[in-house]
Amino acid sequence: MVKQSFSGCPLVSKLAAGRIIAIIAALLFLTGCEQKSIEERAAGADLILKNGVIYTQDDINPQVEALAVTDGKITAIGTSDAISKRAGQNTKIVDLDGGFVMPGINDGHSHPAWGGVVALYYCLFPATASADEVAAKIKGCVTKSDELWVQGGLWTPNFFEEYDIDSPRAWLDDISGDKAIVLKDDSGHNCWANSKALAVAGIDELSEPPSGGIYEKTETGDLNGLIQEACGVIDAQLPQWTAEHYREGARYAVNNANSYGLTGFKDASSSEAETSAYFELDKAGALSVNVATCLHTPEMRHGELNTAALKQLRDDYASTHVHTNFAKIFLDGVPTTARTAAMIEPYISNEGDANAVYGPTHLTQNELTDALIELDAHGFTVKIHTAGDRSVRMGLNAIEAAREANNASSRRHELGHAGFIAKEDIPRFAELNAVADLSPYLWFPSPIINSVKKALGARGFEYWPSRDLLDSGAPLLAGSDWPSVSKDLNPWVGLEAMVTRQDPVPAKEGNTAKVHGWIDQSLTVKEAIKIFTIDGARALGLHEQTGSLVTGKSADFIVLNHNLLEIPPEEISDTEVQMTYFEGRQVYEK
């Protein structure tokens, strides 16, 4: 409920003192009254929320009834009676009527601008799609397209095991006509191409893939159309998305983010085009989130680092809401049946394996260490993609070396997708102030999790040691990885999974919830909220500005349909955002 109030000031004449004196007195009194009115209006808050349950994420005042906002900042928190006294003539008052308010969500690992491009322009099908459904979707896209290339996805690594397709390349050829087709998998690391796409990219049976990449072949030595960790060769041939495509993708992502209660996100691998899209939106006043951009380093696949170029991008695209002092290094792949994440112990053997498979790395330890030391020295916080326990160890080694080389730098470097960690390496996160960047959207049964278990067997159940990490003092981070895994930026599925480690969908449908395993690694609701709010803000470098609701911080908060602290954890994924505020401005209403 919105109310407005106005405080007036009566005018009293002094007739007994004579006409001139009376007029002067009246004018002086009027001036004073007017000045008082101006001061009262100035003292009034722009916005007041009252009669609610406001979970502040602050240890001193963890829960209050009301808060006041002026000029985009929180100016007071406390009881409804006390905060109501701060109302002025133009104060907007929101009566929460017992509603639940908390800080805005900060997604620490996603690809928002790219996700928007995918959502708007890709030939999309779900990872659960059958072979017939995939074929029908592609045929439809081929029919509608006037372009040479058709880009799409997202297939699961188990797709070719669940469906008897001898040659994925030939299967695509049969339905693609004269189009060049390239389809990404649900991790975003691998792709599936038809003959025309391979030919346009210049890939044949004699071609050597980039370091850490694989061009899969049939038993007779022919390319079968599947490419692991080397899709960049085809990507280089694709028509480039325009600046307008990326701006529209970023705009789509921002709107999607606000609708789910996000007031900040970190783009985990941001190209110049994507970074520019955020920058342009911010210049136009259309960026209602804080964005941290992990600037992409594609040259690192060749063991090279162009620090000067990164510093130029950082300077060119930094703005009020775009924070560019971050970088990204890809160290390995994914621990699915693709078997491209670097593991300490080998994957389960496949028929035809001549040797044990441990998974490759794109860089040597020395190359990674040298790059991290240099980036750290130039003020970049680095997110390293480390999906296997061997790559996690290499990442920790590099961070330790950077700490020693750069006088114990305090930059909180992140190990992305650190789901598999050797027990002896868990304490090192706290010791090195290294962040374990987790993906709770992957914790419950799904095609990608089923593929992980198939590749690793029993080890696939010991995924994401969140409780062990938190108890050791390790800093944690959570992200959706959209669009690689999640269908959107919805954080509530991930937050629930972090607590229950179960699949929310069967529970909603009245079925027995499927348990991913390792239940003793579950976190409490309050621990999960902290990771998704203030810890996410810390990963953006903005924890002193946002992430909790305390006086002086940005008024970034959300109003929900229920109290997360009172409902059963299995209902967290049913959360609906009623309103989202960014810097005191309402940017979403259901």
Side-chain angles (χ1 to χ4, degrees):
M1 181 173 63
V2 178
K3 298 179 180 178
Q4 291 189 349
S5 60
F6 171 73
S7 297
C9 182
L11 176 63
V12 179
S13 301
K14 296 185 177 180
L15 301 175
R19 185 173 180 82
I20 296 177
I21 295 176
I23 292 173
I24 294 174
L27 289 173
L28 288 173
F29 190 80
L30 178 62
T31 302
C33 178
E34 185 175 0
Q35 182 63 36
K36 180 182 177 183
S37 179
I38 292 172
E39 291 174 352
E40 285 178 345
R41 288 199 300 270
D46 296 331
L47 171 69
I48 286 177
L49 274 65
K50 66 178 185 177
N51 299 326
V53 178
I54 301 177
Y55 185 62
T56 65
Q57 196 55 67
D58 175 51
D59 292 336
I60 299 176
N61 293 299
Q63 187 169 306
V64 296
E65 295 177 339
L67 61 78
V69 176
T70 301
D71 295 331
K73 303 286 186 181
I74 298 171
T75 49
I77 60 173
T79 66
S80 295
D81 288 343
I83 300 302
S84 293
K85 295 176 182 177
R86 292 177 171 265
Q89 179 185 16
N90 297 316
T91 300
K92 179 179 179 180
I93 300 177
V94 177
D95 190 336
L96 296 167
D97 192 26
F100 184 78
V101 177
M102 62 176 280
I105 298 291
N106 292 290
D107 185 318
H109 188 132
S110 56
H111 307 273
W114 175 240
V117 169
V118 167
L120 293 172
Y121 306 114
Y122 252 40
C123 180
L124 278 177
F125 49 85
T128 55
S130 68
D132 289 343
E133 290 169 334
V134 172
K137 182 66 177 181
I138 295 171
K139 286 179 181 178
C141 293
V142 166
T143 301
K144 295 176 183 177
S145 176
D146 295 327
E147 305 295 330
L148 169 63
W149 286 92
V150 173
Q151 303 179 56
L154 305 163
W155 50 277
T156 170
N158 279 357
F159 183 83
F160 301 103
E161 297 178 8
E162 295 177 10
Y163 301 99
D164 188 15
I165 299 176
D166 292 333
S167 172
R169 171 186 178 180
W171 189 88
L172 264 189
D173 288 346
D174 288 341
I175 60 176
S176 59
D178 62 348
K179 304 295 185 184
I181 310 289
V182 58
L183 308 173
K184 290 290 180 72
D185 75 344
D186 56 5
S187 74
H189 283 244
N190 310 309
C191 56
W192 171 17
N194 69 348
S195 294
K196 187 147 191 174
L198 294 171
V200 173
I203 300 173
D204 60 26
E205 282 72 13
L206 299 179
S207 300
E208 289 292 328
S211 175
I214 302 169
Y215 296 151
E216 290 198 7
K217 298 180 179 181
T218 66
E219 292 181 359
T220 59
D222 297 322
L223 292 172
N224 75 357
L226 298 182
I227 298 177
Q228 315 285 7
E229 294 295 323
C231 298
V233 178
I234 286 185
D235 291 344
Q237 303 301 319
L238 295 172
Q240 297 300 301
W241 299 111
T242 66
E244 182 61 23
H245 285 130
Y246 281 110
R247 278 195 297 273
E248 288 307 305
R251 195 186 308 275
Y252 176 97
V254 169
N255 291 336
N256 188 262
N258 289 158
S259 73
Y260 284 118
L262 272 66
T263 55
F265 52 61
K266 175 176 271 191
D267 189 317
S269 180
S270 191
S271 67
E272 180 174 4
E274 291 161 309
T275 306
S276 175
Y278 301 129
F279 178 78
E280 292 297 328
L281 285 187
D282 202 19
K283 281 203 308 182
L287 193 61
S288 51
V289 292
N290 282 301
V291 183
T293 57
C294 295
L295 301 174
H296 186 33
T297 58
E299 70 279 359
M300 284 301 299
R301 288 295 296 268
H302 308 290
E304 302 170 357
L305 179 65
N306 191 341
T307 307
L310 289 176
K311 291 170 67 177
Q312 188 66 56
L313 291 176
R314 178 174 64 183
D315 294 343
D316 287 347
Y317 296 113
S319 65
T320 303
H321 301 113
V322 182
H323 311 278
T324 55
N325 55 328
F326 302 88
K328 174 66 174 286
I329 295 175
F330 284 93
L331 184 56
D332 66 349
V334 290
T336 63
T337 51
R339 302 190 297 178
T340 54
M343 305 299 295
I344 294 173
E345 298 296 329
Y347 289 90
I348 292 176
S349 296
N350 289 342
E351 183 178 351
D353 284 346
N355 302 296
V357 176
Y358 292 86
T361 59
H362 303 318
L363 305 169
T364 66
Q365 179 69 72
N366 287 340
E367 288 172 335
L368 175 65
T369 298
D370 290 346
L372 188 64
I373 289 174
E374 183 172 348
L375 289 169
D376 180 271
H378 284 91
F380 287 97
T381 297
V382 183
K383 187 188 289 289
I384 309 172
H385 177 102
T386 55
D389 51 10
R390 180 158 54 92
S391 59
V392 166
R393 180 169 292 175
M394 291 174 64
L396 291 169
N397 291 343
I399 293 172
E400 183 174 3
R403 296 282 186 253
E404 294 173 356
N406 297 331
N407 297 319
S409 161
S410 61
R411 272 174 277 284
R412 288 161 43 101
H413 302 299
E414 300 163 4
L415 300 187
H417 307 303
F420 292 106
I421 306 172
K423 291 183 179 179
E424 57 268 33
D425 286 330
I426 286 179
R428 299 180 68 194
F429 281 86
E431 293 166 2
L432 296 170
N433 197 24
V435 181
D437 174 5
L438 309 181
S439 301
Y441 307 75
L442 294 173
W443 288 355
F444 47 84
S446 66
I448 197 168
I449 284 294
N450 294 340
S451 185
V452 169
K453 292 178 179 177
K454 187 173 182 63
L456 290 168
R459 281 187 298 159
F461 289 85
E462 296 187 349
Y463 206 10
W464 316 106
S466 49
R467 171 53 60 193
D468 289 346
L469 285 164
L470 198 63
D471 288 349
S472 74
L476 302 186
L477 182 61
S480 63
D481 202 21
W482 179 67
S484 294
V485 175
S486 307
K487 64 179 182 179
D488 49 37
L489 285 164
N490 181 0
W492 307 109
V493 173
L495 200 153
E496 178 180 317
M498 185 174 270
V499 176
T500 66
R501 297 184 73 98
Q502 294 178 342
D503 185 351
V505 176
K508 286 182 184 179
E509 296 174 350
N511 302 322
T512 301
K514 293 183 287 185
V515 178
H516 166 64
W518 225 6
I519 286 294
D520 60 350
Q521 294 298 319
S522 298
L523 302 184
T524 68
V525 173
K526 287 186 177 182
E527 288 170 336
I529 291 175
K530 178 177 180 292
I531 292 168
F532 274 80
T533 55
I534 187 66
D535 290 344
R538 191 179 301 275
L540 272 63
L542 301 175
H543 55 288
E544 294 183 354
Q545 172 183 323
T546 186
S548 60
L549 305 181
V550 299
T551 301
K553 279 196 171 185
S554 181
D556 305 334
F557 54 82
I558 53 180
V559 183
L560 305 183
N561 64 320
H562 52 203
N563 187 330
L564 294 184
L565 306 179
E566 294 183 351
I567 63 172
E570 292 78 12
E571 295 179 11
I572 292 175
S573 58
D574 293 325
T575 297
E576 294 180 354
V577 176
Q578 307 298 305
M579 291 183 283
T580 300
Y581 284 83
F582 179 67
E583 296 181 341
R585 177 170 58 92
Q586 186 174 327
V587 295
Y588 171 78
E589 182 173 13
K590 180 174 166 47

